[in-house]
Amino acid sequence: MSKAGLEQKTTEVCDFVASRMHPSGRTVIAIAGAPASGKSTLAASVVERLNEGRPKQAPRAALLPMDGYHLDNRILEAHGLLPRKGAPETFDAIGFCAAVRGLATSGPATYFPSFDRSLDLAVAGSIEIQPTTPIIVVEGNYLLLRTEPWNALADWFTASVFINPGLDVLTQRLNARWLKYGLDPEAAAKRAETNDLVNARLVLAESIAADLVLED
């Protein structure tokens, strides 16, 4: 996604959030999309824009990425799921759904895990969300998936955004991602095709309709 494209989409989503603000209580916005769709970059940009001019101690918006709910590699290996890391069954879906449900109401400060890509593991308690923060942006691949337990999430989102650059663009980006990590072209294409693109096709085929769809 180009810088200009990111700016445009950020403005569009921020305007959308403003139009969907919950009159009382929290506004929880889902930003979903396939791997390499640009959802994480867009979600971070939206939260940054919403917090412009606000003190860090009292943010208007907070970001909760789904990636913090990756199951640990040791658990995945024990269940033969490590090669499929990133697929729906490799997340603590029940825990994540419970966390999102809890965000619908503001109580005391709450803490959530993030995902450290350099260490390839989740870091507990590394995201703090203040009770006075009125907007929560949740981002991830499977936020709109129609299968259980993910389908319960729709009840707790105020509104949803889906970013879809198309399968051809996703394929190019995923191949480039693995090349960047040092794989040769053949290995990069195989890695993308046997895992990431399987997940991407699932997201594109099995997600419910979002309130706002962005195409790249």
Side-chain angles (χ1 to χ4, degrees):
M1 190 185 306
S2 68
K3 183 177 180 179
L6 177 60
E7 287 292 318
Q8 179 182 351
K9 286 181 173 58
T10 299
T11 299
E12 189 170 353
V13 174
C14 287
D15 290 345
F16 174 71
V17 172
S19 72
R20 295 298 186 101
M21 287 293 292
H22 202 290
S24 60
R26 279 212 165 119
T27 298
V28 182
I29 302 293
I31 298 183
S37 61
K39 67 191 179 305
S40 300
T41 301
L42 176 61
S45 180
V46 167
V47 169
E48 183 179 3
R49 176 81 64 82
L50 291 172
N51 284 330
E52 284 180 353
R54 300 276 299 201
K56 288 185 178 181
Q57 298 82 357
R60 184 180 180 222
L63 176 62
L64 178 64
M66 191 190 79
D67 277 358
Y69 289 83
H70 271 105
L71 293 174
D72 188 84
N73 286 349
R74 291 168 295 182
I75 292 176
L76 296 179
E77 190 170 20
H79 290 274
L81 289 171
L82 191 56
R84 289 288 288 126
K85 188 169 184 175
E89 61 269 26
T90 66
F91 287 86
D92 174 15
I94 298 295
F96 176 70
C97 290
V100 174
R101 182 179 65 234
L103 284 171
T105 57
S106 57
T110 45
Y111 301 89
F112 304 90
S114 64
F115 189 74
D116 188 319
R117 292 197 175 277
S118 64
L119 298 175
D120 196 31
L121 54 78
V123 181
S126 51
I127 296 173
E128 180 181 33
I129 296 182
Q130 296 293 333
T132 53
T133 299
I135 303 170
I136 311 297
V137 176
V138 184
E139 68 91 359
N141 297 331
Y142 306 122
L143 306 186
L144 302 179
L145 212 60
R146 64 179 78 251
T147 54
E148 294 183 347
W150 308 96
N151 57 357
L153 290 168
D155 292 336
W156 306 317
F157 295 138
T158 310
S160 59
V161 178
F162 189 81
I163 180 166
N164 180 16
L167 194 58
D168 289 343
V169 172
L170 292 173
T171 301
Q172 293 170 7
R173 289 179 181 174
L174 288 165
N175 285 335
R177 175 183 291 179
W178 292 116
L179 288 171
K180 182 180 177 182
Y181 282 115
L183 298 185
D184 62 56
E186 183 178 353
K190 182 178 180 180
R191 182 68 177 265
E193 183 60 43
T194 58
N195 191 26
D196 298 317
L197 286 169
V198 175
N199 299 333
R201 292 186 183 100
L202 175 69
V203 170
L204 295 175
E206 297 297 331
S207 292
I208 63 172
D211 299 301
L212 174 66
V213 178
L214 303 174
E215 296 179 352
D216 208 7

